[in-house]
Amino acid sequence: MFTVAGMIDRYHDKRIFLYPDHIYSKPWHRRSKSIFIESILLGMPTTEFWCEEDNFGAVSVLDGTQRVKCLLDFVNDKFRLEDLKLLPELEGRYYSELPFRHASTLSNRAELYFTTISYDTHPSLKFEFFKRINSDSYRFPIQAARNFAFREHFRFIRNLQDSCSEYLKPLSERSESLSKNDYLSSASFDELYLLLSALTLTFHGSMPDNEETSEDLLDKAAMLIHFEEIDTRVLERKIRSRLRSLSRSGENSISLDSQPRFSKPTAPRLDAQDSIRLSQNQIANLYIYSLKDEVNSISDFYDVLNSSPRISPRSASSYYRRLFR
């Protein structure tokens, strides 16, 4: 538990961090910020903050980023209070303009509850923890939970994307300030590379073909990579080789179309960079046939595209059938 002043001190001492790679937090409007500040000034309890603590005692905020940022901004006079319902006498005031009793209530009396998960918690528990605290979030991507919990897998996937960027790339590059759509697209691209890893591991016998759902298939691959139960250098070489072969057969690089995973694919088309724009399912189907050395020309490339299932399978057995039939 911290006071607002204590939380801000820890932030400036680099003991509290915002915006980890796997988190999206929608910025608040000024009215939402004002309502939150007014609630604290009235003594109302705040929702707890969910964090991960590292081995040095610093915490990364997993849920509550905008509340922390709101407090930081208000104390630094970055916005005025507006549309107040219960404290109209404070309308239009900056923090520095608050009467002493209100400023003291905000800084030294309000209590902020931080619930932390330890850095050495088992990754599988972190995975479930992160999914549950985001269970109410609209269109929350499960891949974000994998990225959070299975860090070695996350690093492998991002390094693999860099090494294969000549052959397979996202529609837009990652940036520091992501919109919601950018965040979802980035998670989809991470998931695509994890799927290619899972298909490669399964095809070469490094992962059993007994998972029930496609999510189980992805979870298993993420854990194998994270716990280094397979040689990731060999896996990277195999994936890069297959993607290079696909790019040559299609006579263009490939980019991932940013559409929901289970939606129907659109017709293949070239984007502004002369890259073939395909859905995750189309790319996965091409990759499966490339693993079997059945995509060796541009006619093979488009034959496989035309035979791709219309939507991504929810069952892992669909992938297994195409891999081994």
Side-chain angles (χ1 to χ4, degrees):
M1 182 184 71
F2 302 111
T3 62
V4 171
M7 182 274 292
I8 291 174
D9 286 343
R10 286 178 67 88
Y11 177 81
H12 289 308
D13 290 341
K14 299 188 183 302
R15 307 286 287 172
I16 293 178
F17 296 94
L18 307 179
Y19 306 126
D21 285 339
H22 39 268
I23 305 296
Y24 170 78
S25 184
K26 183 179 179 180
W28 281 3
H29 297 294
R30 283 178 298 178
R31 185 173 183 276
S32 298
K33 293 179 180 180
S34 294
I35 291 173
F36 179 62
I37 298 298
E38 184 182 39
S39 297
I40 292 179
L41 292 173
L42 289 167
M44 296 179 180
T46 63
T47 306
E48 61 188 326
F49 297 77
W50 292 92
C51 308
E52 182 189 28
E53 185 177 44
D54 67 18
N55 54 336
F56 299 106
V59 298
S60 294
V61 178
L62 304 177
D63 184 61
T65 294
Q66 290 306 318
R67 282 172 281 152
V68 173
K69 195 169 187 305
C70 173
L71 290 166
L72 291 169
D73 287 349
F74 185 61
V75 169
N76 287 311
D77 282 352
K78 290 188 176 180
F79 68 91
R80 299 174 184 267
L81 297 176
E82 61 181 53
D83 293 332
L84 301 182
K85 302 298 183 185
L86 301 175
L87 295 172
E89 68 273 18
L90 301 182
E91 185 75 19
R93 297 202 185 193
Y94 288 109
Y95 171 77
S96 61
E97 299 171 338
L98 292 180
F100 175 78
R101 66 186 183 90
H102 289 301
S104 178
T105 296
L106 180 72
S107 296
N108 302 310
R109 297 183 184 178
E111 297 175 338
L112 306 177
Y113 292 90
F114 282 69
T115 300
T116 60
I117 182 170
S118 175
Y119 74 95
D120 57 359
T121 300
H122 193 279
S124 295
L125 291 178
K126 287 186 180 183
F127 181 48
E128 290 301 323
F129 170 81
F130 195 74
K131 284 196 295 183
R132 293 182 187 193
I133 66 173
N134 287 282
S135 60
D136 293 332
S137 299
Y138 175 63
R139 293 175 66 193
F140 169 70
I142 300 300
Q143 184 61 36
R146 298 187 191 100
N147 290 348
F148 164 68
F150 307 117
R151 302 294 172 79
E152 293 306 316
H153 133 272
F154 179 55
R155 280 189 276 271
F156 169 77
I157 290 297
R158 289 296 172 91
N159 289 335
L160 181 60
Q161 290 172 3
D162 290 340
S163 71
C164 297
S165 60
E166 184 179 352
Y167 317 116
L168 176 59
K169 55 191 177 184
L171 280 180
S172 58
E173 298 300 321
R174 291 190 294 268
S175 64
E176 292 296 323
S177 55
L178 294 180
S179 67
K180 178 72 169 184
N181 285 337
D182 290 336
Y183 169 72
L184 293 172
S185 295
S186 181
S188 294
F189 197 57
D190 292 340
E191 184 180 84
L192 171 61
Y193 268 92
L194 179 58
L195 176 58
L196 300 184
S197 300
L199 294 172
T200 306
L201 292 170
T202 304
F203 183 76
H204 291 287
S206 300
M207 198 167 91
D209 55 345
N210 59 3
E211 302 300 333
E212 292 188 5
T213 69
S214 56
E215 295 295 345
D216 293 337
L217 178 71
L218 294 170
D219 295 346
K220 180 64 175 179
M223 286 187 276
L224 285 175
I225 294 168
H226 175 81
F227 292 113
E228 299 181 342
E229 296 180 21
I230 46 92
D231 190 329
T232 54
R233 290 172 299 179
V234 171
L235 177 59
E236 180 180 346
R237 286 198 298 269
K238 288 177 178 177
I239 294 173
R240 189 169 60 245
S241 174
R242 289 294 93 201
L243 290 176
R244 181 171 59 245
S245 176
L246 274 178
S247 180
R248 288 174 178 172
S249 298
E251 299 182 357
N252 289 95
S253 61
I254 299 169
S255 61
L256 175 63
D257 197 349
S258 55
Q259 58 179 335
R261 182 176 165 199
F262 296 108
S263 63
K264 294 181 180 180
T266 57
R269 60 193 185 279
L270 293 180
D271 62 21
Q273 288 74 44
D274 289 333
S275 181
I276 306 173
R277 188 170 169 177
L278 302 174
S279 70
Q280 184 187 98
N281 191 48
Q282 289 169 320
I283 295 170
N285 204 45
L286 279 167
Y287 190 82
I288 287 171
Y289 283 92
S290 179
L291 283 170
K292 300 192 292 184
D293 289 320
E294 295 180 13
V295 184
N296 300 301
S297 66
I298 193 166
S299 61
D300 292 340
F301 186 95
Y302 282 97
D303 284 345
V304 171
L305 272 185
N306 292 332
S307 68
S308 296
R310 290 189 60 78
I311 60 173
S312 295
R314 299 176 189 270
S315 168
S317 61
S318 176
Y319 290 120
Y320 298 147
R321 286 195 300 271
R322 281 181 281 164
L323 279 170
F324 300 116
R325 69 184 178 192

